[in-house]
Amino acid sequence: MARKKSSVIMAKKRKALHEFMTPRFWNVHYAIPAAIGFMALGMALGMAHFTSFSPLQTQAHQTDHNIRGWAWTPTIGWISLNDYLPVCATTPNCGYYGLNIAIASTAQPDGKMGHSIDGFAWSDNVGFVCFGNSCNTPACRNGSPSPPGSFYAYAEPVTNTSYKKLHGYGVVCNQKDGGWISLNCDDTGVCPGGPASTYYQVVYNPANQQFHNAAANGSPFGWNGNNDGSGIGYISFYPSVANGMRYIPTSPENTDPLCSDLKDNDLNGYIDCSDFNCIGRPVCPEICTNGLDDDGDTLIDCADPDCMSIPGQCPENTAPLCTDTLDNDADTKIDCADNDCFATGVCSEVCTGGLDEDNDSLIDCFDPDCPACAEICTGGVDDDGDTLIDCADPDCAADPACAPPQHQCLDFAALPPAQRADACCNDESDNFTGLLDCIDPDCQNNAAVCSAWLRVDTGNIFSQGGILGTSPSAATNLKNTKYCLRSDNSIEWTSENEACKKEDADPISLPTFSTEYRNKLGFLDIAGIKKQGRYGTVIPIADESQIFNPLSGNIYYFSGSGEFVLSAKTFLNGTTAQGNGAGLLIIEGADLRITGSIGYSTDAVQDRLKNLASFGVIVLKNGSAGGNIYINPGVQKVSGTYFAEDTIYTGTNSSGLHNDVLLKMYGVFVARQFNLQRDNNQNPSLAAEEIIFDGRSVVNPPPGMQDAAKSLPRPLDANF
């Protein structure tokens, strides 16, 4: 067989006629009389209409041949691809013929998948032309029957609307091995590396079901030629729009069975309901956004109830949709019960919903549309518009839902009421309320034992006038401190080391002006501190803006009246070997007010411990004025070494809601008296105030406080 077009016909031989017949040649030379080409081929082709072969001998009459149209070559003229129109023009009768492309894609002899093409075409000049497996008949081949699959033609699988190449062969049956027609130059190996003018290929275009696409190089040509120079040459399978080769589906994809069989029955690149021919078939679901009646019920997109049952497909946000009594967006909310309808203006205010249903920016009882509203004491919203919700509203005082749980306290019935409350709220029993001791709001409001309490995490506590205050509830299993409690007066606090609790210890007097600021714990050299250069550089200041950061070993001295305000500070460590991170603020005759958290940076010390930030404060009286430290109730942390000649106040918001901010105090705190004001017992396991000694006053004492730091019993002690 001579299936391949030879690129070299004979050495030193003049170019054969068919080598001029490229696709470009035929595009511009269709007017050349066919007789010239036919004479060049000579009588070797024979007269096909004298053959006795008929497709009736090899196949039954096929009324469903689905390829129609004509092919054309100037050498032999028109080739009819289907007997549908016209029937053979010559006698004897040529019989039934036609080409067919398979709907299903199957494995092909070259190992690839494709839609098989077979059947017969007819030329009045050369007779029958077979394609694909139909060529495996003695009338179209030489010798013995070829093995199955030796003859093939197919289109690449149609999976979308882009064009697909045809592969394989046809045969001019009268010429047998000399009549092979190649449908794609890729199959013969002449395309790669060859000039573009030699390319040829037949393609199938699913978009219009034609066997041609102008974007495909070489379309719509096939090729027949032999090494001896004979052959038809290029064959156009799409000579014109009116006559070109095209696929005509025998079963259009427009019925319920064909629109649900998972096949592309019309080979247009779309399967079943994705095919526009299936639009309107009941078997297809409604697509809610394409403007078409996909399921054929005359209802389009969101007008179709099928779409209303799909959440998120259709909106419910117009006046008509919000008054049609339907759940248009499938969110289980109908009309004005759907928040999407609020902006339409067709909805009325629901005076207890907590929402602005009528879109006037006024909610519930704040909306004039609502009459006087009563507070619903369990609804979780402000029903009557007084900004108070449920049991926080005095209107609910008599509502049983707002009555606090009452302790029955059966075991302590014989005690007076005040003692009974303390005993009952510290007995590690819920007393039939379900809430244990101080976790119960009734105990928080009525039992002294459930007041806010203080905790000192590290260090011994020394106090001359007694250590009085609330201990944690027994139910929490917590103590006020871990270490020793020593005083020459009463001690109410609890310690994890009860053996180190002593109420008759020798008194420790506070350093004061009258004692020249001396006591057993050490000496505050106030005169020396104020003297320039004794302990460091003394810098007179008028306000906090003149305090350096880092503190640089300086003493910052304020003398005056009223209050000195210290806002939030984060003191930095000193740098280099000479950088001192310690500093002292001394206030004389005024009070100190701390309005923001005071802390230290977390960066590492670079050279030596002297770099460590360490802040000291001494607040002295001038006669009866000054000497106090006030901590604002919003402050959460105070760090440093603090000495107040009078009182330290921890601050409270005085709201009565027991919700003051918890305060942590890091360092050493010394004062004549402490007024621990924080009121927070909402979580009985957390201390309202907590003092934690951090040891900086020992490691790097602030200027002038070295002697007092040395006399501390040990670095873990907190002293006041």
Side-chain angles (χ1 to χ4, degrees):
M1 296 184 182
R3 302 190 185 187
K4 297 182 65 175
K5 175 189 173 187
S6 174
S7 58
V8 178
I9 298 176
M10 288 186 61
K12 298 182 180 180
K13 183 178 179 181
R14 182 179 298 176
K15 183 182 291 188
L17 174 63
H18 72 276
E19 294 185 80
F20 291 98
M21 300 179 184
T22 66
R24 176 175 174 81
F25 176 86
W26 294 121
N27 286 340
V28 297
H29 293 89
Y30 277 144
I32 298 175
I36 297 176
F38 186 68
M39 291 170 60
L41 292 175
M43 298 305 293
L45 292 174
M47 292 287 98
H49 56 275
F50 294 119
T51 182
S52 61
F53 169 65
S54 169
L56 286 174
Q57 300 171 352
T58 58
Q59 61 182 25
H61 175 48
Q62 297 187 28
T63 59
D64 61 347
H65 286 136
N66 55 26
I67 293 177
R68 297 182 186 173
W70 301 79
W72 164 263
T73 172
T75 55
I76 63 172
W78 294 100
I79 301 174
S80 174
L81 305 179
N82 194 302
D83 64 1
Y84 179 76
L85 183 70
V87 180
C88 302
T90 61
T91 57
N93 190 295
C94 60
Y96 301 113
Y97 63 91
L99 302 183
N100 192 71
I101 182 170
I103 300 302
S105 178
T106 57
Q108 300 297 320
D110 62 357
K112 299 178 182 178
M113 298 293 292
H115 301 272
S116 297
I117 297 174
D118 55 21
F120 292 88
W122 170 261
S123 165
D124 282 351
N125 293 316
V126 297
F128 286 107
V129 180
C130 64
F131 287 85
N133 194 50
S134 296
C135 295
N136 194 13
T137 178
C140 300
R141 58 172 169 76
N142 289 327
S144 302
S146 298
S150 295
F151 299 89
Y152 68 92
Y154 68 89
E156 294 174 348
V158 176
T159 56
N160 51 46
T161 58
S162 63
Y163 72 80
K164 312 300 176 186
K165 296 180 179 181
L166 268 61
H167 296 276
Y169 302 89
V171 174
V172 178
C173 292
N174 277 342
Q175 300 304 305
K176 295 186 172 55
D177 283 354
W180 286 95
I181 299 172
S182 171
L183 302 177
N184 194 314
C185 61
D186 284 338
D187 300 337
T188 63
V190 301
C191 289
S197 61
T198 65
Y199 274 53
Y200 64 88
Q201 61 176 332
V202 184
V203 300
Y204 174 65
N205 190 357
N208 55 21
Q209 298 170 316
Q210 298 171 355
F211 285 82
H212 173 52
N213 189 294
N217 188 20
S219 173
F221 292 94
W223 169 262
N224 168 251
N226 301 299
N227 290 338
D228 61 2
S230 63
I232 297 172
Y234 288 103
I235 303 169
S236 173
F237 284 86
Y238 200 81
S240 68
V241 174
N243 298 317
M245 180 178 179
R246 59 174 42 82
Y247 165 64
I248 305 296
T250 55
S251 298
E253 196 158 1
N254 58 5
T255 66
D256 283 357
L258 294 179
C259 289
S260 58
D261 62 357
L262 303 180
K263 297 178 182 178
D264 182 8
N265 296 281
D266 51 9
L267 290 183
N268 66 352
Y270 298 99
I271 295 176
D272 293 350
C273 291
S274 65
D275 193 323
F276 57 87
N277 292 313
C278 289
I279 293 174
R281 302 307 311 171
V283 73
C284 294
E286 184 73 15
I287 298 173
C288 303
T289 57
N290 65 356
L292 300 173
D293 176 22
D294 304 279
D295 56 3
D297 61 358
T298 73
L299 300 173
I300 295 174
D301 293 351
C302 288
D304 193 324
D306 295 344
C307 291
M308 297 182 193
S309 63
I310 305 174
Q313 284 293 308
C314 298
E316 190 164 7
N317 56 7
T318 65
L321 294 176
C322 292
T323 54
D324 62 0
T325 69
L326 298 174
D327 179 16
N328 299 281
D329 55 4
D331 63 354
T332 72
K333 299 176 182 178
I334 296 175
D335 293 349
C336 287
D338 192 325
N339 295 15
D340 298 338
C341 288
F342 290 175
T344 63
V346 299
C347 298
S348 300
E349 184 73 14
V350 178
C351 299
T352 58
L355 301 171
D356 180 21
E357 289 88 356
D358 58 0
N359 199 38
D360 62 357
S361 302
L362 300 172
I363 296 176
D364 295 351
C365 291
F366 293 99
D367 193 323
D369 297 339
C370 293
C373 299
E375 184 73 15
I376 299 173
C377 300
T378 57
V381 296
D382 176 23
D383 303 283
D384 57 3
D386 61 359
T387 73
L388 300 174
I389 297 174
D390 294 352
C391 294
D393 193 323
D395 297 342
C396 292
D399 193 298
C402 295
Q406 300 296 317
H407 282 78
Q408 298 187 31
C409 289
L410 301 179
D411 295 337
F412 307 100
L415 294 176
Q419 296 179 26
R420 184 165 63 246
D422 277 354
C424 188
C425 292
N426 200 30
D427 64 355
E428 300 186 63
S429 169
D430 65 3
N431 295 285
F432 308 102
T433 67
L435 299 171
L436 185 64
D437 290 352
C438 294
I439 299 175
D440 192 321
D442 191 38
C443 285
Q444 294 176 6
N445 293 326
N446 298 299
V449 72
C450 291
S451 300
W453 56 282
L454 175 73
R455 177 172 176 81
V456 179
D457 282 349
T458 56
N460 302 326
I461 298 174
F462 302 88
S463 176
Q464 180 176 349
I467 304 174
L468 308 178
T470 305
S471 298
S473 167
T476 65
N477 198 31
L478 298 173
K479 307 296 181 182
N480 293 102
T481 187
K482 296 182 179 181
Y483 301 102
C484 296
L485 296 169
R486 296 184 179 274
S487 178
D488 64 345
N489 213 319
S490 298
I491 299 176
E492 293 181 350
W493 280 12
T494 56
S495 172
E496 295 177 15
N497 186 2
E498 287 293 317
C500 195
K501 183 175 180 179
K502 191 173 183 180
E503 295 182 334
D504 57 354
D506 293 336
I508 301 176
S509 300
L510 184 77
T512 63
F513 178 80
S514 61
T515 64
E516 296 182 348
Y517 299 101
R518 297 176 184 270
N519 74 350
K520 293 181 178 180
L521 296 179
F523 170 49
L524 287 176
D525 183 9
I526 299 300
I529 290 173
K530 293 190 291 182
K531 185 175 181 180
Q532 188 66 255
R534 168 83 51 97
Y535 295 100
T537 301
V538 178
I539 302 175
I541 62 173
D543 55 52
E544 64 173 343
S545 66
Q546 296 172 282
I547 300 174
F548 298 167
N549 193 8
L551 292 163
S552 303
N554 296 322
I555 298 167
Y556 303 92
Y557 177 64
F558 175 83
S559 176
S561 60
E563 287 186 343
F564 184 93
V565 176
L566 189 65
S567 60
K569 295 284 186 293
T570 300
F571 289 110
L572 306 175
N573 292 328
T575 57
T576 75
Q578 288 74 38
N580 193 341
L584 176 68
L585 170 64
I586 182 168
I587 299 171
E588 189 169 15
D591 297 320
L592 170 64
R593 180 169 294 278
I594 300 174
T595 62
S597 292
I598 308 297
Y600 299 115
S601 68
T602 58
D603 56 308
V605 172
Q606 294 185 5
D607 292 287
R608 53 179 182 163
L609 290 178
K610 189 176 181 180
N611 296 142
L612 185 68
S614 180
F615 181 50
V617 176
I618 298 176
V619 184
L620 303 175
K621 298 171 66 175
N622 186 355
S624 61
N628 299 300
I629 297 177
Y630 296 93
I631 303 172
N632 277 11
V635 176
Q636 301 181 54
K637 179 174 70 172
V638 175
S639 302
T641 303
Y642 292 82
F643 173 85
E645 193 169 356
D646 201 329
T647 304
I648 295 178
Y649 299 84
T650 58
T652 179
N653 60 26
S654 303
S655 66
L657 299 178
H658 313 294
N659 62 353
D660 279 346
V661 173
L662 302 181
L663 174 63
K664 292 185 181 292
M665 304 165 68
Y666 296 88
V668 176
F669 298 85
V670 180
R672 183 186 65 81
Q673 178 177 324
F674 282 80
N675 195 342
L676 305 173
Q677 299 171 295
R678 296 291 169 109
D679 180 14
N680 189 323
N681 63 346
Q682 294 185 337
N683 185 343
S685 64
L686 296 178
E689 292 108 338
E690 188 172 7
I691 298 176
I692 305 164
F693 181 70
D694 69 356
R696 291 175 187 252
S697 61
V698 176
V699 175
N700 190 22
M705 305 186 92
Q706 290 88 339
D707 187 66
K710 291 177 182 177
S711 65
L712 293 176
R714 55 179 176 151
L716 292 177
D717 293 343
N719 302 273
F720 57 91

